[in-house]
Amino acid sequence: DAEPGNQMDARGLNTSAAKKDAGSSGAGAGGTVAGGSGQASKGGHEQKKNWADLSDDDLEELGSSAPSGATSSARRAVRIKLLPHLEEKELQDSLLDEFKRLWRTVRDRPAPKVKSIRIEANPISYSERAHEAEATVTFADPEDAAWLVDIRRPTNWTSAETLSLRGRVLQVEWPPLPPAVDYRKLAHKADTDASSQISYETTATKRSFSSLVQDRRSTEAGNGKGGDPVQFNRTVILMGVSPELPVHTVRSEVLSLLRRLWQRDGLKFHAEAQLHRGQEGIIVKGARRPGHENEGQCSVRLRSYADARWLVEQAKGLSIEGRPLRAMWAKPRATGGS
């Protein structure tokens, strides 16, 4: 059961914690998971919606990459440094005039729309504060911000593309992004049946019995329960495992890796609580090629979507015996259809 005051969404994320972290970092755990459930495959085949309804054979050997975050083209705020020390209103007006010149001369466009200009004195020392300042300029159009920072390339200080005030060449850059929320801190560990509705490892699940899941959805819908909620992907594929390692060694090394990753950030990884069915949640297939012990990858089935998302999108330093690993979302194989 969730603790009082905590709210859990369908993915098992602690939304109360997310709101708290988002206030300081500006980054949440929302978004669509690449390889997630409920999407149609390219060939028009329907994919099974419940990840607990997938056996290991139902998963593609290669998962899709992590969804990319917001690109610089979506950012509207830029930071301008080395500004001359002027009165705030005079400095704002001078910047607007310089933007107008740049856009008309270089881009042959009208002046960009600026939502705000916030002037900040350099806090390093009084002497430096007296001679230069910084400004955060927020444009209405992210394309204007991207052009000023990434596309504009003045060749020298006399170039028409050079941004300057009172003979001083200004420095333009993206402001630093706030640190990302560690998804693991938003994880809610539900019991096996509560987190996946049906166990990954039951005999029926290994036979991939989607008909029973669909029948249950229909029954619940008929009873007014609204059907079974879509389950989010919590299976991660680790690519790059040495095929020469025995299967039991790979399982042991992956478990040790997870523990190190969590410990490095002051957290603890409990296999029995965080892996689906404990250590059985680390699945390594024997090799099909002679001379190899495994297929060079393994599946990690986690109970929490937040833990899985962290492993794919945020984890750094993934390696076993010096070999770098790549974490990818598992995705279901297309079934049925022509």
Side-chain angles (χ1 to χ4, degrees):
D1 294 336
E3 295 180 1
N6 290 339
Q7 297 179 352
M8 307 298 172
D9 64 10
R11 296 169 290 181
L13 297 186
N14 186 327
T15 55
S16 299
K19 292 177 182 178
K20 180 179 179 181
D21 284 358
S24 60
S25 67
T32 302
V33 178
S37 56
Q39 298 178 347
S41 62
K42 292 182 180 179
H45 308 314
E46 293 184 357
Q47 295 180 351
K48 299 162 189 171
K49 291 185 178 181
N50 197 315
W51 280 92
D53 186 36
L54 301 177
S55 71
D56 196 53
D57 292 333
D58 289 322
L59 300 175
E60 295 281 4
E61 292 185 358
L62 290 177
S64 58
S65 303
S68 58
T71 61
S72 60
S73 62
R75 301 171 68 180
R76 291 177 169 82
V78 303
R79 177 171 291 178
I80 300 179
K81 295 184 175 181
L82 307 180
L83 291 166
H85 184 66
L86 301 172
E87 293 295 330
E88 183 172 339
K89 183 64 168 63
E90 183 180 1
L91 195 52
Q92 290 175 341
D93 291 341
S94 297
L95 280 173
L96 291 175
D97 289 341
E98 181 66 359
F99 293 152
K100 182 178 181 180
R101 180 197 68 79
L102 269 177
W103 261 249
R104 287 188 173 180
T105 304
V106 179
R107 307 189 71 190
D108 194 24
R109 295 184 182 183
K113 294 182 180 179
V114 177
K115 298 179 67 175
S116 67
I117 300 178
R118 188 176 73 252
I119 308 298
E120 301 172 358
N122 193 319
I124 297 177
S125 67
Y126 177 81
S127 60
E128 292 185 7
R129 186 165 61 242
H131 294 287
E132 65 181 50
E134 297 181 2
T136 299
V137 180
T138 304
F139 291 91
D141 189 344
E143 182 186 351
D144 290 330
W147 180 84
L148 190 63
V149 178
D150 294 332
I151 302 175
R152 181 182 61 95
R153 287 289 183 268
T155 56
N156 55 59
W157 68 274
T158 62
S159 171
E161 295 186 8
T162 300
L163 183 67
S164 64
L165 283 183
R166 304 291 179 91
R168 181 182 293 221
V169 176
L170 306 182
Q171 179 180 335
V172 184
E173 62 186 30
W174 294 114
L177 291 173
V181 173
D182 189 329
Y183 295 139
R184 294 170 298 178
K185 296 179 180 178
L186 310 178
H188 165 61
K189 284 84 173 178
D191 291 336
T192 298
D193 291 338
S195 66
S196 60
Q197 308 299 322
I198 299 175
S199 170
Y200 278 118
E201 295 298 327
T202 59
T203 302
T205 300
K206 289 182 177 180
R207 291 200 305 265
S208 183
F209 67 163
S210 57
S211 58
L212 179 57
V213 176
Q214 186 59 45
D215 291 343
R216 186 180 64 187
R217 289 188 185 130
S218 301
T219 302
E220 290 180 348
N223 294 334
K225 294 183 179 181
D228 190 36
V230 171
Q231 294 299 317
F232 284 76
N233 186 358
R234 288 166 283 115
T235 300
V236 177
I237 305 295
L238 294 180
M239 303 293 300
V241 177
S242 171
E244 298 176 357
L245 293 178
V247 169
H248 69 275
T249 302
V250 176
R251 289 197 186 101
S252 176
E253 289 291 336
V254 169
L255 183 58
S256 297
L257 172 64
L258 294 173
R259 287 171 176 164
R260 288 197 307 272
L261 291 172
W262 262 249
Q263 184 178 17
R264 183 183 62 190
D265 297 322
L267 304 172
K268 289 186 178 181
F269 185 84
H270 301 283
E272 296 304 317
Q274 291 173 255
L275 290 173
H276 197 93
R277 298 182 67 84
Q279 297 186 27
E280 295 179 21
I282 300 175
I283 302 169
V284 186
K285 290 184 178 180
R288 301 173 187 174
R289 298 177 59 183
H292 288 182
E293 296 288 339
N294 66 79
E295 293 190 342
Q297 67 180 46
C298 78
S299 302
V300 180
R301 287 179 163 174
L302 294 140
R303 288 189 180 182
S304 168
Y305 162 79
D307 285 341
R309 184 170 180 179
W310 179 88
L311 193 58
V312 172
E313 298 184 23
Q314 296 180 330
K316 299 182 184 299
L318 296 174
S319 66
I320 291 179
E321 294 193 345
R323 290 175 61 105
L325 303 180
R326 183 181 180 189
M328 309 176 72
W329 289 112
K331 60 181 180 180
R333 298 181 187 275
T335 58
S338 56

Tab-separated table of all heavy atoms in Angstrom, residues 57-86:
chain	number	residue	atom	x	y	z
A	57	ASP	N	10.577	-15.242	-25.188
A	57	ASP	CA	10.613	-15.443	-26.632
A	57	ASP	C	9.788	-14.395	-27.367
A	57	ASP	O	9.927	-14.230	-28.577
A	57	ASP	CB	10.093	-16.835	-26.998
A	57	ASP	CG	11.052	-17.929	-26.525
A	57	ASP	OD1	12.259	-17.627	-26.420
A	57	ASP	OD2	10.591	-19.048	-26.264
A	58	ASP	N	8.896	-13.704	-26.633
A	58	ASP	CA	8.069	-12.681	-27.264
A	58	ASP	C	8.800	-11.358	-27.416
A	58	ASP	O	8.278	-10.420	-28.004
A	58	ASP	CB	6.795	-12.422	-26.437
A	58	ASP	CG	5.829	-13.591	-26.520
A	58	ASP	OD1	5.724	-14.179	-27.603
A	58	ASP	OD2	5.204	-13.911	-25.497
A	59	LEU	N	10.013	-11.250	-26.861
A	59	LEU	CA	10.746	-9.992	-26.897
A	59	LEU	C	11.786	-10.002	-27.998
A	59	LEU	O	12.432	-11.005	-28.251
A	59	LEU	CB	11.443	-9.737	-25.553
A	59	LEU	CG	10.515	-9.642	-24.345
A	59	LEU	CD1	11.333	-9.504	-23.081
A	59	LEU	CD2	9.557	-8.476	-24.499
A	60	GLU	N	11.931	-8.866	-28.660
A	60	GLU	CA	12.961	-8.731	-29.670
A	60	GLU	C	14.326	-8.799	-29.003
A	60	GLU	O	14.500	-8.355	-27.874
A	60	GLU	CB	12.831	-7.372	-30.391
A	60	GLU	CG	11.553	-7.217	-31.196
A	60	GLU	CD	11.627	-7.932	-32.527
A	60	GLU	OE1	12.640	-8.608	-32.777
A	60	GLU	OE2	10.675	-7.820	-33.300
A	61	GLU	N	15.302	-9.327	-29.718
A	61	GLU	CA	16.648	-9.384	-29.166
A	61	GLU	C	17.221	-7.990	-29.018
A	61	GLU	O	17.987	-7.717	-28.110
A	61	GLU	CB	17.546	-10.234	-30.066
A	61	GLU	CG	17.171	-11.709	-30.060
A	61	GLU	CD	18.150	-12.542	-30.849
A	61	GLU	OE1	19.079	-11.959	-31.418
A	61	GLU	OE2	17.981	-13.768	-30.883
A	62	LEU	N	16.877	-7.094	-29.931
A	62	LEU	CA	17.341	-5.719	-29.832
A	62	LEU	C	16.175	-4.837	-29.471
A	62	LEU	O	15.170	-4.831	-30.150
A	62	LEU	CB	17.948	-5.252	-31.156
A	62	LEU	CG	19.277	-5.893	-31.550
A	62	LEU	CD1	19.704	-5.374	-32.913
A	62	LEU	CD2	20.345	-5.573	-30.522
A	63	GLY	N	16.318	-4.081	-28.389
A	63	GLY	CA	15.279	-3.148	-28.009
A	63	GLY	C	15.494	-1.823	-28.698
A	63	GLY	O	16.505	-1.588	-29.349
A	64	SER	N	14.523	-0.953	-28.552
A	64	SER	CA	14.664	0.360	-29.147
A	64	SER	C	15.461	1.251	-28.227
A	64	SER	O	15.573	1.009	-27.043
A	64	SER	CB	13.274	0.966	-29.393
A	64	SER	OG	12.564	1.040	-28.184
A	65	SER	N	16.010	2.308	-28.771
A	65	SER	CA	16.828	3.217	-27.983
A	65	SER	C	15.957	3.994	-27.017
A	65	SER	O	14.747	4.061	-27.148
A	65	SER	CB	17.566	4.191	-28.901
A	65	SER	OG	18.341	3.484	-29.834
A	66	ALA	N	16.616	4.624	-26.065
A	66	ALA	CA	15.895	5.448	-25.110
A	66	ALA	C	15.312	6.655	-25.818
A	66	ALA	O	15.883	7.181	-26.753
A	66	ALA	CB	16.836	5.905	-23.997
A	67	PRO	N	14.114	7.093	-25.377
A	67	PRO	CA	13.537	8.276	-25.999
A	67	PRO	C	14.415	9.484	-25.737
A	67	PRO	O	14.910	9.666	-24.647
A	67	PRO	CB	12.179	8.418	-25.302
A	67	PRO	CG	12.324	7.698	-24.018
A	67	PRO	CD	13.302	6.587	-24.281
A	68	SER	N	14.624	10.280	-26.752
A	68	SER	CA	15.476	11.447	-26.568
A	68	SER	C	14.725	12.532	-25.827
A	68	SER	O	13.525	12.664	-25.927
A	68	SER	CB	15.929	11.979	-27.931
A	68	SER	OG	14.801	12.300	-28.723
A	69	GLY	N	15.441	13.316	-25.071
A	69	GLY	CA	14.834	14.391	-24.311
A	69	GLY	C	14.641	15.617	-25.178
A	69	GLY	O	14.793	15.600	-26.399
A	70	ALA	N	14.324	16.708	-24.533
A	70	ALA	CA	14.116	17.945	-25.257
A	70	ALA	C	15.423	18.379	-25.911
A	70	ALA	O	16.471	18.389	-25.303
A	70	ALA	CB	13.621	19.019	-24.304
A	71	THR	N	15.358	18.722	-27.180
A	71	THR	CA	16.551	19.162	-27.883
A	71	THR	C	16.740	20.647	-27.679
A	71	THR	O	15.857	21.359	-27.210
A	71	THR	CB	16.409	18.864	-29.382
A	71	THR	OG1	15.270	19.592	-29.880
A	71	THR	CG2	16.209	17.376	-29.617
A	72	SER	N	17.917	21.118	-28.073
A	72	SER	CA	18.201	22.529	-27.880
A	72	SER	C	17.241	23.404	-28.672
A	72	SER	O	16.978	24.542	-28.295
A	72	SER	CB	19.644	22.829	-28.293
A	72	SER	OG	19.849	22.504	-29.649
A	73	SER	N	16.679	22.870	-29.804
A	73	SER	CA	15.767	23.661	-30.612
A	73	SER	C	14.477	23.974	-29.869
A	73	SER	O	13.746	24.878	-30.263
A	73	SER	CB	15.459	22.919	-31.918
A	73	SER	OG	14.819	21.689	-31.653
A	74	ALA	N	14.174	23.260	-28.797
A	74	ALA	CA	12.956	23.513	-28.045
A	74	ALA	C	13.198	24.505	-26.911
A	74	ALA	O	12.267	24.880	-26.216
A	74	ALA	CB	12.394	22.217	-27.487
A	75	ARG	N	14.430	24.921	-26.726
A	75	ARG	CA	14.755	25.845	-25.644
A	75	ARG	C	14.620	27.281	-26.127
A	75	ARG	O	14.997	27.630	-27.238
A	75	ARG	CB	16.175	25.573	-25.136
A	75	ARG	CG	16.352	24.158	-24.633
A	75	ARG	CD	17.785	23.824	-24.329
A	75	ARG	NE	18.305	24.558	-23.195
A	75	ARG	CZ	19.545	24.447	-22.728
A	75	ARG	NH1	20.396	23.628	-23.328
A	75	ARG	NH2	19.950	25.148	-21.687
A	76	ARG	N	14.120	28.115	-25.255
A	76	ARG	CA	13.864	29.509	-25.625
A	76	ARG	C	14.789	30.496	-24.913
A	76	ARG	O	14.943	31.621	-25.360
A	76	ARG	CB	12.406	29.868	-25.323
A	76	ARG	CG	11.395	29.171	-26.215
A	76	ARG	CD	9.977	29.517	-25.801
A	76	ARG	NE	8.993	29.082	-26.782
A	76	ARG	CZ	8.511	27.859	-26.878
A	76	ARG	NH1	8.940	26.936	-26.026
A	76	ARG	NH2	7.628	27.546	-27.798
A	77	ALA	N	15.370	30.094	-23.804
A	77	ALA	CA	16.208	30.995	-23.012
A	77	ALA	C	17.675	30.838	-23.402
A	77	ALA	O	18.163	29.723	-23.584
A	77	ALA	CB	16.028	30.721	-21.524
A	78	VAL	N	18.370	31.966	-23.548
A	78	VAL	CA	19.810	31.964	-23.814
A	78	VAL	C	20.483	32.871	-22.794
A	78	VAL	O	19.856	33.778	-22.231
A	78	VAL	CB	20.131	32.449	-25.246
A	78	VAL	CG1	19.417	31.594	-26.277
A	78	VAL	CG2	19.773	33.915	-25.420
A	79	ARG	N	21.766	32.613	-22.559
A	79	ARG	CA	22.530	33.434	-21.627
A	79	ARG	C	23.544	34.253	-22.409
A	79	ARG	O	24.269	33.728	-23.250
A	79	ARG	CB	23.243	32.572	-20.597
A	79	ARG	CG	24.116	33.363	-19.636
A	79	ARG	CD	24.611	32.501	-18.508
A	79	ARG	NE	23.513	32.135	-17.620
A	79	ARG	CZ	23.647	31.338	-16.561
A	79	ARG	NH1	24.822	30.821	-16.271
A	79	ARG	NH2	22.602	31.052	-15.812
A	80	ILE	N	23.583	35.548	-22.130
A	80	ILE	CA	24.516	36.461	-22.789
A	80	ILE	C	25.476	37.003	-21.740
A	80	ILE	O	25.055	37.571	-20.730
A	80	ILE	CB	23.772	37.605	-23.495
A	80	ILE	CG1	22.818	37.030	-24.545
A	80	ILE	CG2	24.756	38.577	-24.141
A	80	ILE	CD1	22.016	38.079	-25.274
A	81	LYS	N	26.783	36.826	-21.977
A	81	LYS	CA	27.812	37.233	-21.021
A	81	LYS	C	28.633	38.397	-21.556
A	81	LYS	O	28.559	38.753	-22.729
A	81	LYS	CB	28.726	36.049	-20.708
A	81	LYS	CG	28.041	34.895	-19.991
A	81	LYS	CD	29.060	33.812	-19.653
A	81	LYS	CE	28.434	32.702	-18.823
A	81	LYS	NZ	29.420	31.656	-18.471
A	82	LEU	N	29.457	38.961	-20.659
A	82	LEU	CA	30.390	40.046	-20.971
A	82	LEU	C	29.678	41.334	-21.353
A	82	LEU	O	30.184	42.138	-22.146
A	82	LEU	CB	31.360	39.625	-22.084
A	82	LEU	CG	32.130	38.314	-21.865
A	82	LEU	CD1	33.042	38.037	-23.053
A	82	LEU	CD2	32.915	38.361	-20.583
A	83	LEU	N	28.499	41.538	-20.794
A	83	LEU	CA	27.760	42.768	-21.067
A	83	LEU	C	28.434	43.952	-20.377
A	83	LEU	O	28.956	43.827	-19.266
A	83	LEU	CB	26.321	42.637	-20.566
A	83	LEU	CG	25.420	41.666	-21.328
A	83	LEU	CD1	24.149	41.388	-20.535
A	83	LEU	CD2	25.076	42.226	-22.694
A	84	PRO	N	28.398	45.130	-20.998
A	84	PRO	CA	28.931	46.320	-20.324
A	84	PRO	C	28.037	46.720	-19.152
A	84	PRO	O	26.856	46.366	-19.104
A	84	PRO	CB	28.918	47.375	-21.434
A	84	PRO	CG	27.847	46.920	-22.375
A	84	PRO	CD	27.888	45.425	-22.349
A	85	HIS	N	28.613	47.409	-18.216
A	85	HIS	CA	27.852	47.820	-17.038
A	85	HIS	C	27.047	49.070	-17.358
A	85	HIS	O	27.580	50.178	-17.460
A	85	HIS	CB	28.797	48.091	-15.872
A	85	HIS	CG	28.078	48.418	-14.602
A	85	HIS	ND1	27.286	47.508	-13.935
A	85	HIS	CD2	28.026	49.567	-13.876
A	85	HIS	CE1	26.777	48.065	-12.851
A	85	HIS	NE2	27.206	49.325	-12.796
A	86	LEU	N	25.738	48.883	-17.556
A	86	LEU	CA	24.819	49.977	-17.856
A	86	LEU	C	23.600	49.848	-16.954
A	86	LEU	O	23.386	48.827	-16.304
A	86	LEU	CB	24.377	49.922	-19.324
A	86	LEU	CG	25.472	49.996	-20.398
A	86	LEU	CD1	24.873	49.718	-21.771
A	86	LEU	CD2	26.159	51.349	-20.372
